[in-house]
Amino acid sequence: MRKEQFICPYTVYDSIDELEPEDAELLRKAHEATRNSYAPYSKFHVGAAVRMANGETVTGNNIENAAYPSGLCAERVTMFAAQAKYPGVAIEALAVVAHSETKLIAEPAAPCGACRQVMVEVEQISKRPLRVLCQGETGPIMAFNGIESLLPFVFQDTLL
Ligand code: THU
């Protein structure tokens, strides 16, 4: 037997000013998108924005429902909307941020497992590493170059 480790590299930026202009713009759009969030139950407003290979940006936000599991995370709303609007166009980067009505979120909002699984397939279709930027309402920004850093030992359907 042997013990092994999985290394998940990521970069931390202390402020939006340290980002490349196109990433800074994407993050700003994700923050704007939190305003459209429908989160009467959790009061946790998540915004997301994707940058596409055709130069378009698509934004989205979490949408909750009285039947809780029927709601959807901001990341999936955004990725699915982007794929629906621009089918076949690669998604290059995704920014996700969270604002809460009950406390200041000063740590990056990490995407949930189900959203990471969707990112896997977005990356596969896009044929390039997906850059993922995460931030709270304020505070540091975490950047991942490729979904493997966020979801090790990923499940991929071999039929694609
Ligand atoms: N949420 C997201 O939008 N993205 C995530 O990655 C995790 C959670 C939403 C779902 C729900 O509306 C609220 O945040 C609280 O879980």
Side-chain angles (χ1 to χ4, degrees):
M1 71 86 122
R2 62 178 185 276
K3 292 193 175 177
E4 298 192 352
Q5 280 185 33
F6 205 107
I7 309 286
C8 296
Y10 61 92
T11 310
V12 180
Y13 300 90
D14 292 325
S15 126
I16 196 167
D17 304 327
E18 293 179 2
L19 293 175
E20 293 297 325
E22 58 177 4
D23 282 351
E25 184 60 19
L26 198 67
L27 197 70
R28 277 191 204 98
K29 287 185 174 160
H31 280 286
E32 276 172 34
T34 60
R35 290 194 216 127
N36 298 335
S37 155
Y38 176 69
Y41 305 104
S42 71
K43 319 256 184 240
F44 192 76
H45 301 276
V46 185
V50 294
R51 184 171 67 240
M52 307 198 70
N54 61 358
E56 296 289 339
T57 301
V58 175
T59 61
N61 47 268
N62 58 329
I63 312 271
E64 298 185 347
N65 188 277
Y68 285 14
S70 303
L72 199 62
C73 294
E75 297 93 314
R76 273 176 289 165
V77 166
T78 308
M79 288 184 281
F80 291 156
Q83 286 177 301
K85 192 164 185 198
Y86 303 109
V89 178
I91 295 179
E92 295 177 339
L94 178 145
V96 53
V97 306
H99 299 195
S100 168
E101 289 176 38
T102 56
K103 62 176 179 180
L104 180 72
I105 312 277
E107 295 299 326
C112 80
C115 289
R116 292 179 201 206
Q117 185 62 40
V118 170
M119 289 175 206
V120 170
E121 198 136 338
V122 159
E123 186 170 88
Q124 209 176 354
I125 296 166
S126 299
K127 297 185 174 60
R128 66 196 69 191
L130 179 67
R131 182 161 168 82
V132 181
L133 303 159
C134 308
Q135 192 183 31
E137 183 169 354
T138 177
I141 298 134
M142 284 168 95
F144 302 85
N145 280 331
I147 187 60
E148 261 226 312
S149 298
L150 269 168
L151 187 62
F153 304 110
V154 60
F155 170 75
Q156 276 170 318
D157 196 313
T158 48
L159 296 176
L160 271 187

